[in-house]
Amino acid sequence: MGLRIKKGDRVRVLSGKDRGKEGNVTRVLPKENKVIVDGVNVAKKHQKPTRNTMQGGIIDKDMPVPASNVAVLCPKGHPTRIGYDFNADGTKRRVCRKCGGDL
Ligand SMILES: [Zn+2]
């Protein structure tokens, strides 16, 4: 089973130091079963001076979190699991397992 979460999904963190935080998925790492969420699991990274900036500094970097630690938020506002359903033409669509609405 691959990752059902997609880039751009809005998710809520279920565990860890960022529990309860919400953000948008900016990157999906299917091989590691991880996602990168905007503003979640932020690490301070030291940046070396570059020719352009001429100075180093500390930057915030979003680090990956296990996909199992986040829940997708339904457009109606509740965290849910992603299910699949089929359209009349046979194409697949993602649905909210709680309310059945489109995700
Ligand atoms: Zn729903």
Side-chain angles (χ1 to χ4, degrees), residues 20-78:
K21 264 195 195 173
E22 293 177 5
N24 291 320
V25 174
T26 55
R27 222 179 131 197
V28 177
L29 309 167
K31 275 184 194 162
E32 301 165 56
N33 249 350
K34 286 180 176 177
V35 292
I36 295 175
V37 184
D38 190 33
V40 168
N41 203 17
V42 177
K44 301 278 182 197
K45 290 277 180 184
H46 293 270
Q47 198 173 45
K48 283 181 187 162
T50 66
R51 210 169 292 177
N52 289 331
T53 61
M54 295 295 280
Q55 57 177 11
I58 298 171
I59 56 160
D60 290 340
K61 192 169 190 293
D62 301 331
M63 301 302 287
V65 293
S68 57
N69 278 9
V70 302
V72 174
L73 287 173
C74 175
K76 287 174 187 166
H78 44 248

Side-chain angles (χ1 to χ4, degrees), residues 73-80 95-103:
L73 287 173
C74 175
K76 287 174 187 166
H78 44 248
T80 187
V95 295
C96 170
R97 286 248 207 106
K98 266 188 192 159
C99 70
D102 284 334
L103 282 179

Side-chain angles (χ1 to χ4, degrees), residues 11-23 40 69 73:
V11 297
R12 182 180 295 172
V13 181
L14 300 176
S15 60
K17 69 179 169 84
D18 287 325
R19 185 177 172 177
K21 264 195 195 173
E22 293 177 5
V40 168
N69 278 9
L73 287 173

